[in-house]
Amino acid sequence: MPSITTVVAQALHTAATVLREDAPQDGMAFGELWERVLARDPGLRDDWVRAAPDSPSATEARFKNYVNRNASSLVRAGWLYRAQRRWQLTGIGADALDRFPDPVDFSLEAGRRYRKWERQQHEVSLAVTALEQLPDSGCWVALEEVAEEFSIAPDVLGTVLRGTRPPGWYLVLGEDGRAGGELPLLPYERDQWLSLLDEEGILDAGRSTVDIVRALPDRRMPVREALAAAKQPLGETAADEDAPRQLWIIRGVDAATGVPLVRGPWRDDSKVTLDTGFPPPTAAAHNLDSVRRAVESALPATGPARREAVARELDAFLNRMRKGDIVLSTDGFETYVGVIGGPAVHTAERLERPVDWRNLNKPLDFLKDLPSGLASVVQDADSQVLEATEYAETVLALIGDMPRTASLPMGPAVLPDATAELAEALHMPDTTWLQDCVELLRATPQLIFHGPPGTGKTYTALALARHLAGASSATNVRLVQFHPAYAYEDFFEGIRPRLGAGQDGDTGGGLAYDLVRGPLRKLADEAERRPAEVFVLVVDEINRGHLAKIFGELYFLLEYRNERVHLLYGSDDGRGFRLPPNLYILGTMNTVDRSVAYMDAAMRRRFSFMELHPDTPPVAGVLDSWLRRQAEERGEDPEAYDDSHARLLDEINRLLADGSPGDRSFRVGPSYFMQDLAHAGDGALERLWKTQIIPLLTEHHWGDGTDVEFTYGLAGLRERLGILPPSGDASGSENP
């Protein structure tokens, strides 16, 4: 009875033979190759079933998948090159077929070479990362010199480069500049090398022949000099190690069985992997833009949305993860947590990172142990890699691990109580009203100040916001103003065109499009990163915008802060977006603004409301308090201050109340009389009346027949109240 090893060895040997005979130039897709292998050796199916008679997975699909995965040993041996699921035999592989005609010997030699690579895979990964910096450098390096620099056996490095072909592989040549060194080449490999060296401008046409391709000898650079010129970054920096630990949710399922990888190879080999289906970029792709370029090159026929998702996952796994970060993966309800042990390692069609799994013998219960917010991220997300750093400290506590360094405070953020200093700054008699605002925000993190114009809604909102944010108010408080043309793309995020860069760095490269974050997205991202701090977004004139359109899918999150939604432009990386609990929204709403409709009932339910009205505290006494303080600052008796401005304001509001009994939506607030314009020398109040008070009241009484000048004229009001104009003041143009 044949063994599984023997049957797989026969299948791989047959596949290599088919590639040499039927597809020596372009290779072959694995599906087609598999059909030809079975056609050439029909007995393989029966041998596979006999090799595993009691296994429920002894199916042809399982056999096919097993052979596909075991081909990695041929890739590491340099005998096979796989790209976009196509197999190509290399010259080294064709030579191996001649030297090892017996399938078992062929497979054993490939396994021996694979193990040799495995012992040096970290060093190989560093070398590959370095070589990816070489394209466009105009130079080539010697294989022996690179191998010595990174302490790798030359035959291991040479064959891995031929099998995986990362960027820059073709610039590693023999000592005399010969392509392939002493390793055999097939004609298509020679032609490919010829083309690539010619594109780099370093082909030595005079010394190249039909069989040999060489590079210009004067373009050879010592390895250290070449890598220094390319600014090669090696490993993760000490600064990375000092940064706060991040939490990553990583998914992985065996394609053939559907079994989570954490139950098998991840657990057994102390690692996590990210499968891409194509040779992924390594650490040379050190930012999202360079990863995007690599993905676009590897997946040209894939839609842009899918390419962007793949690029973000690769960037997270390759660049954003760091040694010491926490990873979490699930097998059903069993949840496993580990700590990343080092940088990403490049393999043929996947990336790997070493992981120290901490609770293999005592997995957490997904439903019972994880906080509900984290559980919803794990359940709902579509991506293979997700960041959930806001739950890092919770997960560390569950497994009994401690942070590697002193990190940022992890929250929760605490709203401070209102203080007497804040009340005094706002000319309020005490903290009662302000403390009510704080308590409402603790219960519902959205609050709107509403009232007539001039009641200090925006001023109060900003003062309260800065008090709540404390010492970080300069960065943690932002103000936006809604208007009828304001949109989701302005408020949260949207696609924005820009002029692309031309070849000379100018703006002649046509239009490019970027996903640009708006004020809410920027503040939410910062709040997520610093959960112990309070962040406040102040939305002025909130009712002047079309709220349902502006908030979009975030409408739901205003009421359900622990839930997540998937964003319109997919920028949540598949994990869903939430409004962080430490982000508060303060809005202002002018109740007299009739150019827009009031908020609908659904939006009202998502906010608490506090009124600022001239008839009631704390606004009712603000102007008196402010005038008294101004007198005191001028060295006058605060008890004998000039209260004429306050009396005029009260008279205006009495007249408005008499003209529209029961309607409190329109009054005039004290802010009009607390600005410099009202106290800037002779004629100041007259200028205020003419430019602000009369136009405001005219707008209010538009069409109702009221003679605004007669009813509210400054001279007439002064006469009725017995207020004499200051010496030198003009009497104004109002009718008495």
Side-chain angles (χ1 to χ4, degrees):
M1 179 182 298
S3 67
I4 291 178
T5 301
T6 302
V7 177
V8 172
Q10 179 65 46
L12 288 172
H13 191 275
T14 304
T17 303
V18 170
L19 289 173
R20 180 167 66 173
E21 296 178 1
D22 298 347
Q25 178 72 26
D26 301 321
M28 193 177 295
F30 180 63
E32 180 186 358
L33 176 61
W34 183 249
E35 294 300 324
R36 297 200 186 195
V37 166
L38 295 181
R40 182 179 288 250
D41 192 348
L44 281 173
R45 289 189 183 93
D46 295 336
D47 288 344
W48 171 259
V49 173
R50 287 198 301 271
D54 300 324
S55 172
S57 60
T59 63
E60 183 179 325
R62 176 65 172 167
F63 182 24
K64 178 181 177 182
N65 182 263
Y66 201 82
V67 171
N68 195 1
R69 292 181 62 178
N70 275 269
S72 59
S73 61
L74 274 66
V75 173
R76 295 302 167 199
W79 298 355
L80 188 69
Y81 172 59
R82 293 189 299 186
Q84 299 187 42
R85 307 197 183 281
R86 293 186 71 84
W87 289 28
Q88 276 184 301
L89 193 69
T90 67
I92 309 172
D95 180 68
L97 279 174
D98 293 334
R99 290 189 295 113
F100 304 101
D102 181 83
V104 174
D105 292 342
F106 181 84
S107 182
L108 288 175
E109 177 62 17
R112 186 188 70 79
R113 291 173 177 266
Y114 180 86
R115 288 187 294 275
K116 194 172 181 181
W117 161 80
E118 197 171 33
R119 289 192 293 270
Q120 295 187 289
Q121 61 175 312
H122 179 66
E123 291 79 8
V124 170
S125 179
L126 292 178
V128 167
T129 297
L131 296 174
E132 286 186 346
Q133 307 288 329
L134 289 177
D136 299 324
S137 66
C139 67
W140 61 274
V141 292
L143 172 66
E144 294 280 348
E145 200 174 328
V146 176
E148 182 179 358
E149 175 71 20
F150 291 93
S151 302
I152 308 168
D155 62 324
V156 171
L157 180 60
T159 54
V160 167
L161 292 178
R162 292 281 289 279
T164 59
R165 299 184 194 176
W169 66 275
Y170 53 89
L171 296 172
V172 183
L173 308 173
E175 287 285 341
D176 60 350
R178 178 174 177 174
E182 301 301 321
L183 299 173
L185 294 175
L186 289 176
Y188 86 87
E189 291 178 296
R190 177 204 167 277
D191 293 343
Q192 184 181 36
W193 230 309
L194 182 73
S195 175
L196 290 170
L197 294 181
D198 191 32
E199 286 180 10
E200 292 287 334
I202 59 175
L203 176 68
D204 189 346
R207 292 200 303 154
S208 296
T209 66
V210 174
D211 299 318
I212 299 174
V213 175
R214 283 192 170 94
L216 292 167
D218 61 346
R219 305 302 284 274
R220 175 180 173 179
M221 288 184 69
V223 168
R224 283 198 170 273
E225 184 179 340
L227 299 186
K231 296 182 174 60
Q232 147 62 15
L234 291 180
E236 293 173 349
T237 67
D240 287 336
E241 301 246 345
D242 292 337
R245 300 173 86 168
Q246 303 170 103
L247 173 64
W248 302 92
I249 300 164
I250 303 185
R251 304 170 182 276
V253 177
D254 186 286
T257 65
V259 174
L261 293 174
V262 73
R263 192 190 303 178
W266 288 7
R267 175 192 184 109
D268 298 339
D269 300 335
S270 299
K271 66 181 180 181
V272 290
T273 60
L274 179 65
D275 292 316
T276 60
F278 61 90
T282 66
H286 53 81
N287 57 39
L288 181 57
D289 285 340
S290 56
V291 174
R292 283 188 181 121
R293 289 193 292 270
V295 172
E296 287 172 3
S297 176
L299 304 175
T302 304
R306 178 56 189 159
R307 286 204 305 266
E308 178 67 13
V310 171
R312 287 181 178 276
E313 290 181 2
L314 279 168
D315 180 58
F317 198 95
L318 189 61
N319 299 321
R320 294 172 57 202
M321 286 185 188
R322 300 185 298 265
K323 181 179 178 181
D325 281 354
I326 310 106
V327 294
L328 181 151
S329 193
T330 57
D331 178 5
F333 291 115
E334 295 182 343
T335 303
Y336 297 93
V337 181
V339 178
I340 294 175
V345 175
H346 182 279
T347 68
E349 292 187 355
R350 65 180 58 87
L351 292 169
E352 298 181 357
R353 277 187 180 264
V355 169
D356 176 17
W357 296 103
R358 297 295 177 86
N359 65 332
L360 290 177
N361 297 322
K362 192 177 180 181
L364 301 173
D365 186 285
F366 178 85
L367 294 177
K368 295 179 181 178
D369 297 327
L370 298 189
S372 60
L374 177 57
S376 68
V377 174
V378 176
Q379 277 184 314
D380 187 49
D382 301 322
S383 301
Q384 287 180 265
V385 181
L386 311 164
E387 184 184 357
T389 298
E390 65 270 24
Y391 298 103
E393 294 296 318
T394 302
V395 172
L396 286 170
L398 289 172
I399 64 170
D401 201 357
M402 295 298 292
R404 64 182 170 210
T405 64
S407 62
L408 292 172
M410 295 306 292
V414 177
L415 287 181
D417 289 338
T419 63
E421 291 76 14
L422 177 63
E424 183 179 2
L426 292 171
H427 303 283
M428 295 184 181
D430 54 43
T431 62
T432 304
W433 189 90
L434 291 168
Q435 187 60 35
D436 286 344
C437 294
V438 174
E439 297 299 339
L440 286 172
L441 286 169
R442 287 170 177 168
T444 303
Q446 293 96 225
L447 175 64
I448 287 178
F449 297 146
H450 66 103
T455 49
K457 299 180 292 297
T458 303
Y459 186 84
T460 302
L462 284 170
L464 179 60
R466 290 165 182 150
H467 168 73
L468 297 176
S472 302
S473 61
T475 57
N476 292 16
V477 175
R478 295 187 187 176
L479 171 71
V480 298
Q481 187 175 62
F482 282 4
H483 51 78
Y486 205 67
Y488 174 93
E489 288 75 12
D490 303 304
F491 186 50
F492 190 68
E493 65 181 6
I495 301 295
R496 291 283 184 272
R498 62 173 171 82
L499 290 176
Q503 292 184 350
D504 299 325
D506 57 17
T507 56
L511 283 178
Y513 295 88
D514 297 323
L515 183 61
V516 178
R517 297 184 303 160
L520 177 59
R521 183 64 193 270
K522 290 178 180 177
L523 205 61
D525 289 347
E526 282 298 303
E528 198 74 82
R529 194 178 70 84
R530 291 146 57 190
E533 299 180 23
V534 173
F535 290 78
V536 186
L537 180 66
V538 179
V539 182
D540 197 28
E541 304 285 2
I542 191 171
N543 60 315
R544 300 198 75 241
H546 192 313
L547 298 184
K549 291 179 65 176
I550 291 173
F551 279 92
E553 67 272 15
L554 309 177
Y555 205 82
F556 171 80
L557 298 181
L558 292 173
E559 187 170 8
Y560 300 99
R561 283 293 185 102
N562 290 327
E563 301 297 330
R564 293 176 180 269
V565 297
H566 293 295
L567 297 176
L568 177 64
Y569 293 101
S571 62
D572 53 296
D573 298 333
R575 60 168 291 187
F577 172 83
R578 71 167 186 167
L579 285 176
N582 57 321
L583 172 59
Y584 298 85
I585 299 176
L586 290 177
T588 70
M589 189 168 78
N590 192 340
T591 54
V592 78
D593 189 349
R594 294 170 181 172
S595 64
V596 293
Y598 289 131
M599 304 171 94
D600 61 37
M603 186 58 81
R604 281 183 173 274
R605 191 178 69 248
R606 288 160 166 79
F607 285 83
S608 299
F609 289 79
M610 289 291 283
E611 185 183 48
L612 286 166
H613 196 281
D615 293 349
T616 58
V619 182
V622 164
L623 185 54
D624 280 322
S625 173
W626 185 85
L627 290 170
R628 184 180 290 109
R629 184 176 300 175
Q630 295 299 306
E632 188 174 4
E633 289 178 357
R634 292 193 300 268
E636 301 172 4
D637 182 0
E639 299 303 321
Y641 71 97
D642 179 6
D643 66 349
S644 59
H645 289 70
R647 292 166 61 198
L648 287 167
L649 176 63
D650 290 343
E651 181 63 12
I652 291 174
N653 285 329
R654 185 190 66 78
L655 293 170
L656 288 169
D658 290 345
S660 54
D663 181 9
R664 301 177 69 253
S665 63
F666 188 85
R667 299 289 189 274
V668 177
S671 298
Y672 289 99
F673 297 87
M674 297 168 65
Q675 54 184 316
D676 291 341
L677 180 60
H679 305 274
D682 294 345
L685 195 57
E686 280 74 12
R687 285 190 292 273
L688 171 71
W689 223 265
K690 182 178 180 179
T691 60
Q692 295 189 20
I693 301 298
I694 292 299
L696 176 71
L697 296 170
T698 300
E699 172 69 22
H700 172 61
H701 285 293
W702 186 263
D704 68 3
T706 301
D707 186 337
V708 174
E709 288 285 351
F710 177 81
T711 306
Y712 300 101
L714 178 57
L717 292 181
R718 278 174 169 168
E719 183 176 347
R720 287 198 294 273
L721 296 174
I723 299 173
L724 296 177
S727 177
D729 266 11
S731 61
S733 61
E734 301 85 349
N735 296 322

